[in-house]
């Protein structure tokens, strides 16, 4: 299912001339460790799919370089040093290997076309993907966890097969609009965020909300949404504390991994 990037698109030769970015700073390495931690924990929760799916984050201090997982590695294998840093032209400026083709064409265009999207997580995680395959709006705002996403979702209804060129990446970016959560019909989900911690927090709670909804639907009984005015109020309550809660959530998973899988930091 995964595809290598076509020859001529990706190169290991930096494209910046003599003014090379500082990619060995501690702030960049902390971003690598944070991202590696989310890959490892996503694997634990069953969010990964073989060697497919991809997470990316802009390199701190640079708006045209992004960290992304390399082609051929499962989430559970990734470490901070295994992650690549790429530019928007497909050049690998740090790391060994290359990004998976759809990872490059989706994430490069998301980051380029949507500057607010500092982080982009794309998965085929089971419950969210299952709801992307159903009739109507994927997410019903019926459970408290789902209310975290009230007014923040979009649906990309035009599935076109694999994203193997820039035009498909551009189309997906255009479909996002102002949303943070994008259900990609017949495909999966995309979570966009200003920080790795906030994207991780949304990814985790999105799958929990979708899992509970799937269980509720499986009863065959009607699923009753929360009244819009209550949903809006609860959403605002949640969003007020989200950045700090997300920071603590990421710190929590890093502590767990430090104790059980410290290799993610390498």
């Amino acid at each position: 299912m995964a595809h290598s990037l076509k020859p001529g698109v990706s190169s290991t030769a930096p494209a910046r001339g003599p003014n090379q970015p500082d990619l060995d700073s501690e702030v960049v390495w902390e971003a690598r460790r944070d991202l590696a931690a989310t890959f490892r924990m996503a694997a634990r929760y069953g969010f990964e799919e073989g060697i497919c799916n991809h997470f990316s984050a802009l390199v701190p201090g640079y708006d045209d370089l992004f960290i992304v997982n390399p082609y051929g590695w499962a989430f559970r294998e990734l470490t901070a040093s295994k992650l690549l840093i790429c530019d928007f032209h497909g050049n690998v400026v740090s790391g060994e290997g290359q990004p998976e083709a759809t990872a490059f064409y989706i994430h490069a265009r998301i980051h380029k076309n949507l500057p607010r999207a500092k982080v982009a997580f794309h998965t085929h995680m089971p419950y969210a993907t299952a709801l992307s395959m159903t009739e109507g709006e994927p997410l019903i705002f019926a459970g408290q966890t789902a209310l975290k996403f009230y007014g923040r979702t979009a649906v990309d209804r035009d599935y076109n097969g694999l994203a193997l060129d820039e035009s498909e990446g551009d189309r997906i970016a255009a479909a996002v609009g102002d949303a943070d959560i994008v259900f990609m019909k017949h495909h999966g989900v995309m979570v966009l965020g200003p920080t790795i911690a906030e994207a991780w927090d949304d990814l985790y709670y999105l799958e929990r909300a979708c899992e509970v909804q799937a269980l509720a639907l499986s009863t065959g009984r009607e699923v009753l949404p929360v009244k819009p005015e209550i949903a809006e109020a609860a959403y605002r309550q949640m969003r007020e504390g989200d950045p700090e809660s997300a920071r603590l959530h990421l710190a929590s998973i890093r502590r767990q991994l430090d104790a059980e899988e410290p290799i993610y930091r390498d």
Side-chain angles (χ1 to χ4, degrees), residues 191-204:
V191 173
L192 307 179
T195 66
I196 293 170
E198 288 171 87
W200 167 256
D201 198 61
D202 277 349
L203 187 79
Y204 171 81

Side-chain angles (χ1 to χ4, degrees), residues 147-150 152 180 198 201-202 231-248:
L147 301 183
K148 176 177 169 65
F149 307 108
Y150 189 78
R152 299 176 60 206
D180 299 321
E198 288 171 87
D201 198 61
D202 277 349
E232 173 74 20
Y235 152 78
R236 292 188 182 282
Q237 289 174 324
M238 292 181 189
R239 291 296 282 167
E240 285 176 4
D242 258 359
E244 178 64 4
S245 180
R247 184 187 69 79
L248 294 172

